[in-house]
Amino acid sequence: MPTFILCHRHRPEECAIAVSAWKGFCSPLRHGHPLGSCLTGGHRIWWTVEAGDSASALGQLPPYVAERTVAEQVREVPLP
């Protein structure tokens, strides 16, 4: 199954909206602990998910969040 990094970006005044978008939305990501940069001024949130394609990866997010998110397929890179 492919792995995707989902990178969500919002404006500072949209933090509460981005969080409340999860209320009532059924997703394996709900109640998770993604990495975020809101407290340091970046206003981005990152999830690592497995999905068949980028549309399925974004489908794990509420619409408001998904519309502001980029899904990038990633793989482990072995380093010497």
Side-chain angles (χ1 to χ4, degrees):
M1 181 77 63
T3 300
F4 292 86
I5 298 292
L6 304 179
C7 180
H8 166 77
R9 172 183 260 166
H10 58 266
R11 294 188 313 264
E13 63 271 16
E14 297 174 321
C15 285
I17 299 167
V19 171
S20 67
W22 289 91
K23 291 181 182 176
F25 184 77
C26 184
S27 169
L29 302 178
R30 189 160 183 220
H31 302 297
H33 296 91
L35 297 175
S37 63
C38 295
L39 295 178
T40 58
H43 299 283
R44 292 185 191 168
I45 302 172
W46 296 269
W47 295 267
T48 302
V49 302
E50 291 185 348
D53 56 35
S54 61
S56 296
L58 290 169
Q60 296 181 48
L61 302 173
Y64 178 88
V65 176
E67 291 168 4
R68 293 156 177 78
T69 302
V70 173
E72 187 164 348
Q73 188 173 351
V74 296
R75 294 184 181 174
E76 288 186 355
V77 177
L79 298 175

